[in-house]
Coordinates of all heavy atoms in Angstrom, one line a residue:
M1 N 27.5 -26.4 44.6 CA 27.6 -25.9 43.2 C 26.5 -24.9 43.0 O 25.3 -25.2 43.2 CB 27.5 -27.1 42.3 CG 27.4 -26.7 40.9 SD 27.1 -28.1 39.8 CE 28.7 -28.5 39.3
P2 N 26.7 -23.7 42.6 CA 25.7 -22.8 42.4 C 24.8 -23.1 41.1 O 25.3 -23.7 40.2 CB 26.4 -21.4 42.2 CG 27.8 -21.8 41.9 CD 28.1 -23.2 42.4
I3 N 23.7 -22.7 41.2 CA 22.8 -22.9 40.0 C 22.7 -21.6 39.2 O 22.5 -20.6 39.8 CB 21.4 -23.3 40.5 CG1 21.4 -24.6 41.3 CG2 20.4 -23.4 39.3 CD1 20.1 -25.0 42.0
D4 N 22.8 -21.7 37.9 CA 22.9 -20.5 37.1 C 21.5 -19.9 36.9 O 20.5 -20.5 37.2 CB 23.4 -20.8 35.7 CG 22.6 -21.8 34.9 OD1 21.6 -21.2 34.3 OD2 22.8 -23.0 34.9
N5 N 21.4 -18.6 36.5 CA 20.3 -17.8 36.6 C 19.2 -18.3 35.5 O 18.1 -17.9 35.5 CB 20.6 -16.3 36.4 CG 21.3 -15.7 37.6 OD1 21.2 -16.3 38.7 ND2 22.0 -14.6 37.4
Q6 N 19.6 -19.0 34.5 CA 18.7 -19.5 33.5 C 18.1 -20.8 34.0 O 17.0 -21.1 33.6 CB 19.4 -19.8 32.2 CG 19.9 -18.4 31.5 CD 20.5 -18.7 30.2 OE1 21.1 -19.8 30.0 NE2 20.4 -17.7 29.3
T7 N 18.7 -21.6 34.8 CA 18.2 -22.9 35.3 C 17.3 -22.7 36.5 O 16.3 -23.4 36.6 CB 19.4 -23.8 35.6 OG1 20.2 -24.0 34.4 CG2 18.9 -25.2 36.0
A8 N 17.8 -21.8 37.4 CA 17.0 -21.6 38.7 C 15.5 -21.5 38.6 O 14.8 -22.1 39.3 CB 17.7 -20.5 39.5
P9 N 15.0 -20.6 37.7 CA 13.6 -20.4 37.7 C 12.8 -21.6 37.1 O 11.7 -21.7 37.4 CB 13.4 -19.2 36.6 CG 14.8 -18.6 36.5 CD 15.7 -19.7 36.9
L10 N 13.4 -22.6 36.5 CA 12.8 -23.8 36.0 C 12.6 -24.8 37.0 O 11.8 -25.8 36.8 CB 13.5 -24.3 34.8 CG 13.4 -23.4 33.5 CD1 14.2 -24.0 32.4 CD2 12.0 -23.2 33.0
I11 N 13.4 -24.8 38.1 CA 13.4 -25.8 39.1 C 11.8 -26.0 39.6 O 11.4 -27.1 39.7 CB 14.3 -25.6 40.2 CG1 15.7 -25.6 39.6 CG2 14.2 -26.5 41.4 CD1 16.8 -25.3 40.6
Q12 N 11.3 -25.0 40.1 CA 9.8 -25.0 40.6 C 8.9 -25.5 39.6 O 8.1 -26.4 39.9 CB 9.5 -23.7 41.1 CG 8.1 -23.7 41.8 CD 7.0 -23.4 41.1 OE1 7.1 -22.8 40.0 NE2 5.8 -23.8 41.4
V13 N 9.0 -25.0 38.4 CA 8.1 -25.5 37.3 C 8.3 -27.0 37.0 O 7.3 -27.8 37.0 CB 8.3 -24.7 36.0 CG1 7.5 -25.2 34.8 CG2 8.1 -23.2 36.2
V14 N 9.5 -27.4 36.9 CA 9.7 -28.9 36.6 C 9.2 -29.7 37.7 O 8.6 -30.8 37.5 CB 11.2 -29.2 36.2 CG1 11.5 -30.6 36.1 CG2 11.6 -28.4 35.0
T15 N 9.5 -29.4 39.0 CA 9.0 -30.2 40.1 C 7.5 -30.3 40.2 O 7.0 -31.3 40.5 CB 9.6 -29.7 41.4 OG1 9.3 -28.4 41.7 CG2 11.1 -29.8 41.5
V16 N 6.9 -29.1 39.9 CA 5.4 -29.2 39.9 C 4.8 -30.1 38.8 O 4.0 -30.9 39.0 CB 4.8 -27.8 39.8 CG1 3.3 -27.8 39.5 CG2 5.0 -27.0 41.0
C17 N 5.5 -30.0 37.7 CA 5.1 -30.9 36.5 C 5.4 -32.4 36.8 O 4.5 -33.3 36.6 CB 5.8 -30.6 35.2 SG 5.2 -28.8 34.6
L18 N 6.5 -32.7 37.4 CA 6.8 -34.0 37.8 C 5.8 -34.6 38.8 O 5.3 -35.8 38.7 CB 8.1 -34.1 38.5 CG 9.4 -34.2 37.5 CD1 10.7 -34.0 38.3 CD2 9.4 -35.5 36.8
H19 N 5.5 -33.8 39.8 CA 4.4 -34.2 40.7 C 3.1 -34.5 40.1 O 2.5 -35.4 40.3 CB 4.3 -33.0 41.8 CG 3.3 -33.3 42.9 ND1 3.5 -34.4 43.8 CD2 2.1 -32.8 43.1 CE1 2.4 -34.4 44.6 NE2 1.6 -33.5 44.2
A20 N 2.7 -33.6 39.1 CA 1.4 -33.9 38.4 C 1.5 -35.2 37.6 O 0.5 -35.9 37.7 CB 1.1 -32.7 37.5
H21 N 2.5 -35.4 36.9 CA 2.6 -36.7 36.2 C 2.6 -37.9 37.1 O 2.0 -39.0 36.8 CB 3.9 -36.7 35.3 CG 3.7 -35.9 34.0 ND1 3.2 -36.5 32.9 CD2 3.8 -34.6 33.8 CE1 3.1 -35.6 31.9 NE2 3.5 -34.4 32.5
R22 N 3.2 -37.7 38.3 CA 3.1 -38.9 39.2 C 1.7 -39.1 39.8 O 1.3 -40.2 40.0 CB 4.1 -38.7 40.4 CG 5.5 -38.8 39.9 CD 6.5 -38.6 41.1 NE 7.9 -38.8 40.6 CZ 8.9 -38.1 41.0 NH1 8.7 -37.2 42.0 NH2 10.1 -38.3 40.5
L23 N 1.0 -38.0 40.0 CA -0.4 -38.1 40.5 C -1.3 -38.8 39.5 O -2.1 -39.6 39.9 CB -1.0 -36.7 40.8 CG -0.4 -36.1 42.1 CD1 -1.0 -34.6 42.2 CD2 -0.8 -36.9 43.3
V24 N -1.1 -38.5 38.2 CA -2.0 -39.1 37.3 C -1.4 -40.4 36.7 O -2.0 -41.1 35.8 CB -2.4 -38.2 36.1 CG1 -3.1 -36.9 36.5 CG2 -1.1 -37.8 35.2
N25 N -0.2 -40.7 37.1 CA 0.4 -42.0 36.8 C 0.5 -42.2 35.2 O 0.1 -43.1 34.6 CB -0.4 -43.2 37.3 CG 0.4 -44.5 37.3 OD1 1.7 -44.4 37.2 ND2 -0.3 -45.6 37.3
T26 N 1.3 -41.3 34.6 CA 1.5 -41.3 33.2 C 2.3 -42.5 32.9 O 3.3 -42.8 33.6 CB 2.3 -40.0 32.8 OG1 1.5 -38.8 33.1 CG2 2.6 -40.0 31.2
F27 N 1.9 -43.3 31.9 CA 2.6 -44.6 31.6 C 2.8 -44.7 30.0 O 2.1 -44.0 29.2 CB 1.9 -45.7 32.2 CG 0.4 -45.9 31.7 CD1 0.1 -46.6 30.6 CD2 -0.6 -45.3 32.4 CE1 -1.2 -46.7 30.1 CE2 -1.9 -45.4 32.0 CZ -2.2 -46.1 30.8
P28 N 3.7 -45.5 29.6 CA 3.9 -45.7 28.1 C 2.7 -46.1 27.4 O 1.9 -47.0 27.9 CB 4.9 -46.9 28.1 CG 5.6 -46.8 29.3 CD 4.6 -46.3 30.4
G29 N 2.5 -45.5 26.2 CA 1.3 -45.7 25.3 C 0.0 -45.0 25.7 O -1.0 -45.1 25.0
Q30 N 0.0 -44.3 26.8 CA -1.1 -43.5 27.2 C -1.2 -42.2 26.4 O -0.1 -41.6 26.2 CB -1.0 -43.2 28.7 CG -2.1 -42.3 29.3 CD -1.8 -42.0 30.8 OE1 -0.8 -42.0 31.2 NE2 -2.8 -41.5 31.5
S31 N -2.3 -41.9 25.9 CA -2.3 -40.5 25.3 C -2.4 -39.5 26.4 O -3.1 -39.6 27.4 CB -3.6 -40.5 24.4 OG -4.8 -40.7 25.1
V32 N -1.8 -38.4 26.0 CA -1.8 -37.2 26.9 C -2.1 -36.0 26.1 O -1.6 -35.7 25.0 CB -0.4 -37.0 27.6 CG1 -0.3 -35.7 28.3 CG2 -0.1 -38.2 28.5
V33 N -3.0 -35.1 26.6 CA -3.3 -33.8 26.0 C -2.9 -32.7 27.0 O -3.3 -32.8 28.1 CB -4.9 -33.7 25.7 CG1 -5.2 -32.4 25.1 CG2 -5.3 -34.8 24.8
V34 N -2.2 -31.8 26.4 CA -1.7 -30.6 27.2 C -2.4 -29.4 26.7 O -2.2 -29.0 25.5 CB -0.2 -30.5 27.1 CG1 0.2 -29.2 27.9 CG2 0.6 -31.7 27.6
V35 N -3.2 -28.9 27.5 CA -4.0 -27.7 27.1 C -3.3 -26.5 27.6 O -3.1 -26.2 28.8 CB -5.4 -27.7 27.5 CG1 -6.2 -26.4 27.1 CG2 -6.2 -28.9 27.0
G36 N -2.7 -25.7 26.7 CA -1.9 -24.5 27.1 C -0.5 -24.8 27.0 O 0.0 -25.8 27.6
L37 N 0.3 -24.2 26.1 CA 1.6 -24.6 25.8 C 2.6 -23.4 26.2 O 3.5 -23.1 25.5 CB 1.8 -25.0 24.4 CG 1.1 -26.3 24.0 CD1 1.1 -26.4 22.5 CD2 1.6 -27.4 24.7
G38 N 2.4 -22.8 27.4 CA 3.3 -21.9 28.0 C 4.5 -22.8 28.5 O 4.7 -23.9 28.1
V39 N 5.3 -22.1 29.3 CA 6.5 -22.9 29.9 C 6.1 -24.1 30.6 O 6.7 -25.2 30.3 CB 7.1 -22.0 30.9 CG1 8.3 -22.7 31.6 CG2 7.8 -20.7 30.2
T40 N 5.0 -24.1 31.5 CA 4.6 -25.4 32.1 C 4.1 -26.4 31.1 O 4.4 -27.6 31.3 CB 3.6 -25.0 33.2 OG1 4.0 -24.0 34.1 CG2 3.1 -26.2 33.9
G41 N 3.3 -26.0 30.2 CA 2.8 -26.9 29.2 C 3.9 -27.6 28.4 O 3.9 -28.8 28.0
Q42 N 4.9 -26.8 28.0 CA 6.1 -27.3 27.3 C 6.8 -28.4 28.1 O 7.3 -29.4 27.6 CB 7.0 -26.2 26.8 CG 6.4 -25.1 25.9 CD 6.0 -25.5 24.5 OE1 6.3 -26.8 24.1 NE2 5.3 -24.7 23.8
V43 N 6.9 -28.1 29.4 CA 7.5 -29.1 30.2 C 6.7 -30.4 30.4 O 7.2 -31.5 30.3 CB 7.9 -28.5 31.7 CG1 8.3 -29.6 32.6 CG2 8.9 -27.4 31.6
H44 N 5.4 -30.2 30.4 CA 4.5 -31.4 30.4 C 4.6 -32.2 29.1 O 4.7 -33.5 29.2 CB 3.0 -30.9 30.6 CG 2.6 -30.7 32.0 ND1 2.7 -31.6 33.0 CD2 2.1 -29.5 32.6 CE1 2.2 -31.2 34.1 NE2 1.9 -29.8 33.9
V45 N 4.8 -31.6 28.1 CA 5.0 -32.3 26.7 C 6.3 -33.1 26.9 O 6.2 -34.4 26.5 CB 5.0 -31.3 25.6 CG1 5.6 -31.9 24.3 CG2 3.7 -30.7 25.2
Q46 N 7.3 -32.6 27.3 CA 8.6 -33.2 27.4 C 8.5 -34.4 28.3 O 9.1 -35.4 28.1 CB 9.7 -32.3 27.7 CG 10.0 -31.3 26.6 CD 11.0 -30.2 27.1 OE1 12.2 -30.5 27.0 NE2 10.5 -29.1 27.5
L47 N 7.9 -34.2 29.5 CA 7.8 -35.3 30.5 C 6.9 -36.4 30.0 O 7.3 -37.6 30.1 CB 7.3 -34.8 31.8 CG 8.2 -33.9 32.7 CD1 7.4 -33.3 33.8 CD2 9.4 -34.7 33.1
A48 N 5.8 -36.1 29.3 CA 4.9 -37.1 28.8 C 5.7 -38.0 27.8 O 5.7 -39.3 27.8 CB 3.7 -36.5 28.2
K49 N 6.5 -37.3 26.9 CA 7.3 -38.0 25.9 C 8.4 -38.9 26.6 O 8.6 -40.0 26.2 CB 7.9 -37.1 24.9 CG 6.9 -36.5 24.0 CD 6.1 -37.5 23.2 CE 7.0 -38.3 22.1 NZ 6.2 -39.2 21.3
A50 N 9.0 -38.3 27.6 CA 10.0 -39.1 28.2 C 9.6 -40.3 28.9 O 10.3 -41.3 29.0 CB 10.7 -38.2 29.3
W51 N 8.3 -40.3 29.4 CA 7.7 -41.5 30.0 C 7.0 -42.4 29.1 O 6.3 -43.3 29.4 CB 6.8 -41.0 31.2 CG 7.6 -40.5 32.3 CD1 8.9 -40.7 32.5 CD2 7.1 -39.8 33.5 NE1 9.3 -40.1 33.7 CE2 8.2 -39.6 34.3 CE3 5.9 -39.4 33.9 CZ2 8.1 -38.9 35.6 CZ3 5.8 -38.7 35.1 CH2 6.9 -38.5 35.9
G52 N 7.0 -42.1 27.7 CA 6.6 -43.0 26.7 C 5.2 -42.8 26.3 O 4.6 -43.7 25.6
A53 N 4.5 -41.7 26.7 CA 3.1 -41.5 26.3 C 3.1 -41.3 24.9 O 4.0 -40.8 24.2 CB 2.6 -40.2 27.1
Y54 N 1.9 -41.8 24.3 CA 1.6 -41.6 22.9 C 0.2 -41.7 22.6 O -0.4 -42.7 23.0 CB 2.4 -42.6 22.0 CG 2.2 -42.5 20.6 CD1 3.0 -41.6 19.8 CD2 1.2 -43.2 19.9 CE1 2.7 -41.4 18.5 CE2 0.9 -43.0 18.5 CZ 1.7 -42.1 17.8 OH 1.4 -41.9 16.5
P55 N -0.4 -40.8 21.8 CA 0.2 -39.6 21.3 C 0.2 -38.5 22.4 O -0.7 -38.5 23.2 CB -0.7 -39.2 20.2 CG -2.1 -39.7 20.6 CD -1.7 -41.0 21.3
V56 N 1.1 -37.6 22.3 CA 1.2 -36.5 23.2 C 0.7 -35.3 22.3 O 1.3 -35.1 21.2 CB 2.6 -36.2 23.7 CG1 2.6 -34.8 24.4 CG2 3.1 -37.3 24.6
I57 N -0.4 -34.7 22.7 CA -1.2 -33.7 21.9 C -1.1 -32.3 22.7 O -1.4 -32.3 23.8 CB -2.6 -34.1 21.6 CG1 -2.6 -35.5 21.0 CG2 -3.3 -33.1 20.9 CD1 -4.0 -36.1 21.0
G58 N -0.7 -31.3 22.0 CA -0.7 -30.0 22.6 C -1.7 -29.1 21.9 O -1.9 -29.1 20.7
I59 N -2.4 -28.3 22.8 CA -3.4 -27.4 22.2 C -3.1 -25.9 22.7 O -3.0 -25.8 23.9 CB -4.8 -27.8 22.7 CG1 -5.1 -29.2 22.2 CG2 -5.9 -26.8 22.3 CD1 -6.4 -29.8 22.8
T60 N -3.1 -25.1 21.8 CA -3.0 -23.7 22.1 C -3.3 -22.8 20.9 O -3.3 -23.3 19.7 CB -1.5 -23.3 22.6 OG1 -1.5 -21.9 23.1 CG2 -0.5 -23.4 21.5
R61 N -3.7 -21.6 21.2 CA -4.0 -20.7 20.0 C -2.8 -20.1 19.3 O -2.8 -19.7 18.2 CB -4.9 -19.5 20.5 CG -4.2 -18.6 21.5 CD -5.1 -17.6 21.8 NE -4.4 -16.7 22.8 CZ -5.0 -16.0 23.8 NH1 -6.3 -16.0 23.8 NH2 -4.4 -15.3 24.6
S62 N -1.6 -20.3 19.9 CA -0.4 -19.6 19.4 C 0.3 -20.6 18.4 O 0.8 -21.7 18.8 CB 0.6 -19.3 20.5 OG 1.9 -19.0 20.0
A63 N 0.4 -20.3 17.2 CA 1.2 -21.1 16.2 C 2.6 -21.3 16.6 O 3.2 -22.3 16.4 CB 1.1 -20.5 14.8
W64 N 3.3 -20.2 17.1 CA 4.6 -20.4 17.5 C 4.8 -21.4 18.7 O 5.7 -22.2 18.6 CB 5.2 -19.0 18.0 CG 6.6 -19.0 18.4 CD1 7.6 -18.9 17.6 CD2 7.1 -19.2 19.7 NE1 8.9 -19.0 18.3 CE2 8.5 -19.2 19.6 CE3 6.5 -19.4 20.9 CZ2 9.4 -19.4 20.7 CZ3 7.4 -19.5 22.0 CH2 8.8 -19.5 21.9
K65 N 4.0 -21.3 19.6 CA 4.0 -22.4 20.7 C 3.7 -23.8 20.3 O 4.3 -24.6 20.7 CB 3.1 -21.9 21.9 CG 3.6 -20.7 22.7 CD 2.6 -20.3 23.7 CE 3.1 -19.0 24.4 NZ 2.1 -18.7 25.4
R66 N 2.8 -23.9 19.3 CA 2.5 -25.2 18.7 C 3.8 -25.7 18.1 O 4.2 -27.0 18.2 CB 1.4 -25.2 17.8 CG 0.1 -25.0 18.5 CD -1.2 -25.3 17.5 NE -1.2 -24.5 16.3 CZ -1.7 -23.3 16.1 NH1 -2.3 -22.7 17.2 NH2 -1.7 -22.7 15.0
G67 N 4.5 -24.9 17.3 CA 5.7 -25.3 16.7 C 6.8 -25.7 17.6 O 7.5 -26.7 17.5
L68 N 7.0 -25.0 18.7 CA 7.9 -25.2 19.7 C 7.6 -26.5 20.4 O 8.5 -27.4 20.6 CB 8.0 -24.2 20.8 CG 8.9 -24.4 22.0 CD1 10.4 -24.6 21.5 CD2 8.8 -23.3 23.0
A69 N 6.3 -26.9 20.7 CA 5.9 -28.1 21.2 C 6.3 -29.2 20.3 O 6.7 -30.3 20.8 CB 4.4 -28.0 21.5
Q70 N 6.1 -29.1 19.1 CA 6.5 -30.2 18.1 C 8.0 -30.4 18.1 O 8.4 -31.6 18.0 CB 5.9 -29.9 16.7 CG 4.5 -30.0 16.7 CD 3.9 -29.8 15.3 OE1 4.2 -28.8 14.6 NE2 3.0 -30.6 14.8
E71 N 8.8 -29.3 18.3 CA 10.2 -29.5 18.4 C 10.6 -30.2 19.6 O 11.6 -30.9 19.6 CB 10.9 -28.1 18.3 CG 10.9 -27.4 17.0 CD 11.6 -26.0 17.0 OE1 12.5 -25.9 17.8 OE2 11.1 -25.1 16.3
L72 N 9.8 -30.0 20.7 CA 10.1 -30.6 21.9 C 9.5 -32.0 22.1 O 9.7 -32.7 23.1 CB 9.6 -29.7 23.1 CG 10.3 -28.4 23.2 CD1 9.7 -27.5 24.3 CD2 11.8 -28.6 23.5
G73 N 8.8 -32.5 21.0 CA 8.3 -34.0 21.1 C 6.9 -34.2 20.9 O 6.4 -35.3 20.9
A74 N 6.0 -33.1 20.9 CA 4.6 -33.3 20.7 C 4.4 -34.1 19.4 O 5.0 -33.8 18.5 CB 3.9 -32.0 20.8
D75 N 3.5 -35.1 19.5 CA 3.1 -35.8 18.3 C 2.2 -35.2 17.4 O 2.1 -35.3 16.2 CB 2.6 -37.2 18.6 CG 3.6 -38.0 19.5 OD1 4.7 -38.3 18.9 OD2 3.3 -38.3 20.7
L76 N 1.4 -34.3 18.1 CA 0.4 -33.5 17.3 C 0.0 -32.2 18.0 O 0.0 -32.2 19.4 CB -1.0 -34.3 17.2 CG -2.2 -33.6 16.7 CD1 -2.0 -33.3 15.2 CD2 -3.4 -34.5 16.9
T77 N -0.1 -31.1 17.4 CA -0.5 -29.9 18.0 C -1.7 -29.4 17.3 O -1.9 -29.6 16.1 CB 0.5 -28.9 18.1 OG1 0.9 -28.5 16.7 CG2 1.8 -29.3 18.9
L78 N -2.6 -28.8 18.0 CA -3.9 -28.3 17.4 C -4.1 -26.9 17.9 O -3.9 -26.6 19.1 CB -5.1 -29.2 17.9 CG -5.0 -30.7 17.5 CD1 -6.0 -31.5 18.3 CD2 -5.2 -30.8 16.1
P79 N -4.8 -26.1 17.1 CA -5.2 -24.7 17.6 C -6.4 -24.8 18.5 O -7.2 -25.8 18.3 CB -5.6 -24.0 16.3 CG -5.8 -25.0 15.3 CD -5.1 -26.2 15.7
S80 N -6.5 -24.1 19.6 CA -7.6 -24.1 20.4 C -8.9 -23.7 19.7 O -8.8 -23.0 18.7 CB -7.4 -23.3 21.7 OG -7.1 -21.9 21.3
G81 N -10.0 -24.2 20.1 CA -11.2 -23.8 19.5 C -12.1 -25.1 19.3 O -11.7 -26.1 19.8
P82 N -13.3 -24.9 18.7 CA -14.2 -26.0 18.6 C -13.6 -27.2 17.8 O -14.1 -28.4 18.2 CB -15.3 -25.5 17.8 CG -15.0 -24.1 17.4 CD -13.7 -23.7 18.0
D83 N -12.7 -27.1 17.0 CA -12.2 -28.3 16.2 C -11.1 -29.1 17.1 O -10.8 -30.2 16.7 CB -11.5 -27.8 15.0 CG -12.6 -27.4 14.0 OD1 -13.8 -27.8 14.1 OD2 -12.3 -26.5 13.1
A84 N -10.7 -28.5 18.2 CA -9.6 -29.2 19.0 C -10.2 -30.5 19.6 O -9.5 -31.5 19.6 CB -9.2 -28.3 20.1
V85 N -11.4 -30.5 20.0 CA -12.0 -31.7 20.6 C -12.0 -32.8 19.5 O -11.7 -34.0 19.7 CB -13.3 -31.5 21.2 CG1 -14.0 -32.8 21.7 CG2 -13.3 -30.7 22.4
R86 N -12.5 -32.5 18.3 CA -12.6 -33.4 17.3 C -11.2 -33.9 16.9 O -11.0 -35.1 16.6 CB -13.3 -32.8 16.0 CG -13.5 -33.7 14.9 CD -14.2 -33.1 13.7 NE -14.3 -31.7 13.6 CZ -15.3 -30.9 14.0 NH1 -16.5 -31.5 14.2 NH2 -15.3 -29.6 13.8
G87 N -10.2 -33.0 16.9 CA -8.8 -33.4 16.6 C -8.3 -34.4 17.6 O -7.6 -35.4 17.2
V88 N -8.6 -34.2 18.9 CA -8.2 -35.1 19.9 C -8.9 -36.4 19.8 O -8.2 -37.6 19.8 CB -8.4 -34.6 21.3 CG1 -8.2 -35.6 22.4 CG2 -7.5 -33.4 21.6
M89 N -10.1 -36.5 19.6 CA -10.8 -37.7 19.3 C -10.4 -38.5 18.1 O -10.2 -39.6 18.2 CB -12.4 -37.4 19.2 CG -13.0 -36.9 20.4 SD -12.8 -37.8 21.9 CE -14.0 -39.1 21.6
D90 N -10.0 -37.8 17.1 CA -9.5 -38.4 15.8 C -8.1 -39.1 16.2 O -7.7 -40.2 15.7 CB -9.4 -37.5 14.7 CG -10.7 -37.1 14.1 OD1 -11.7 -37.8 14.4 OD2 -10.7 -36.1 13.4
A91 N -7.3 -38.3 16.9 CA -5.9 -38.8 17.2 C -5.9 -39.9 18.2 O -4.9 -40.7 18.2 CB -5.0 -37.7 17.8
T92 N -6.9 -40.1 19.0 CA -6.9 -41.3 20.0 C -8.0 -42.2 19.6 O -8.4 -43.1 20.3 CB -7.3 -40.6 21.4 OG1 -8.6 -40.0 21.3 CG2 -6.3 -39.6 21.8
D93 N -8.4 -42.3 18.3 CA -9.4 -43.3 17.9 C -10.6 -43.2 18.7 O -11.2 -44.3 19.0 CB -8.8 -44.6 17.8 CG -7.7 -44.7 16.7 OD1 -7.8 -44.1 15.7 OD2 -6.7 -45.5 17.0
G94 N -11.1 -42.1 19.2 CA -12.3 -41.8 20.0 C -12.2 -42.3 21.5 O -13.1 -42.4 22.1
R95 N -10.9 -42.6 21.9 CA -10.7 -43.1 23.3 C -10.6 -42.0 24.3 O -10.5 -42.3 25.5 CB -9.6 -44.1 23.3 CG -9.8 -45.4 22.6 CD -8.6 -46.3 22.8 NE -7.3 -45.7 22.6 CZ -6.6 -45.7 21.5 NH1 -7.0 -46.3 20.4 NH2 -5.4 -45.1 21.5
A96 N -10.4 -40.8 23.8 CA -10.3 -39.7 24.8 C -11.4 -39.5 25.8 O -12.5 -39.7 25.3 CB -10.0 -38.4 24.1
R97 N -11.1 -39.2 27.0 CA -12.1 -38.9 28.0 C -12.1 -37.3 28.2 O -11.1 -36.8 28.7 CB -11.8 -39.6 29.3 CG -12.2 -41.1 29.2 CD -11.9 -41.7 30.5 NE -10.5 -41.8 30.8 CZ -9.9 -42.0 32.0 NH1 -10.7 -42.0 33.1 NH2 -8.6 -42.0 32.1
I98 N -13.1 -36.6 27.8 CA -13.1 -35.2 27.8 C -14.2 -34.7 28.7 O -15.2 -35.2 28.8 CB -13.4 -34.7 26.3 CG1 -12.2 -35.1 25.4 CG2 -13.4 -33.2 26.4 CD1 -12.3 -34.8 24.0

């Protein structure tokens, strides 16, 4: 069965993201922060949610990408910058390791 031209480019991205989540052993209830919400970051958001992570936090300077991440399941998105660390610490009740 041939793979269509819209799906084919995502295969490598998704497999790399899957490998990364397996290496860090993402599990239900674990907080996940995704820094950078390009294509790879958006896939990381979706995988973290699919594996039950909470909260899933996305960080990027792009308001459009933050909105997309929320549509794809991010629990919280933050603009990059000095306030991002404080936002992550607040969202994880100070449990984040940065």
